Amino acid sequence: HVQLVESGGGSVEAGDTLTLSCATPALTPSGYCMGWFRQVPGKEREGVAAIFDRTYYADSVKGRFTISQDDASKTLFLRMSNLRPEDTAEYVCAADSPGWCAGGRFLSRNLARYWGQGTQVTVSS
């Protein structure tokens, strides 16, 4: 059973920095297309960032968010800086076969083989 477990969410102010973690005990992150998505109630889930052979970002977070991974600890990270109120959402990590990262389509496809449960990020102005 593949389990992805997010942590690190919380309530912050605009301009703050927050780093999310996703534990992947059954996966070695570098062997998969790994990504972060976010969901706001009433809106479609949005792909935020993905990583395999390179990194991919949604235009709304480019220059502010950084995705990374550590195989030794089996953890995926999302460092979010200069946070804005519109970044408020539940953030979910996901994993799928490496080929799905090509061209960044993992973000637009909005489907994945494995999903975490999510962690809430709230940014106040």
Side-chain angles (χ1 to χ4, degrees):
H1 175 66
V2 176
Q3 190 175 21
L4 307 180
V5 182
E6 302 91 339
S7 62
S11 296
V12 297
E13 295 185 349
D16 284 352
T17 297
L18 197 64
T19 298
L20 305 181
S21 300
C22 173
T24 66
L27 302 176
T28 299
S30 64
Y32 291 80
C33 176
M34 304 292 301
W36 288 95
F37 294 76
R38 63 188 181 186
Q39 177 84 62
V40 176
K43 290 189 175 182
E44 186 176 340
R45 184 169 54 203
E46 176 189 18
V48 175
I51 183 171
F52 177 59
D53 56 334
R54 51 158 289 187
T55 56
Y56 305 86
Y57 296 96
D59 288 342
S60 59
V61 305
K62 277 181 183 176
R64 300 187 300 121
F65 289 14
T66 303
I67 188 171
S68 62
Q69 59 195 14
D70 178 57
D71 281 352
S73 64
K74 294 194 174 183
T75 306
L76 178 73
F77 301 98
L78 183 68
R79 185 176 187 273
M80 307 181 293
S81 60
N82 194 19
L83 281 162
R84 304 167 181 169
E86 54 264 39
D87 294 319
T88 295
E90 182 177 62
Y91 284 74
V92 184
C93 67
D96 211 320
S97 301
W100 283 111
C101 263
R105 57 181 176 163
F106 190 51
L107 300 183
S108 58
R109 177 176 175 242
N110 213 345
L111 293 173
R113 186 173 180 185
Y114 306 112
W115 292 96
Q117 294 298 309
T119 185
Q120 179 68 34
V121 174
T122 302
V123 185
S124 60
S125 58

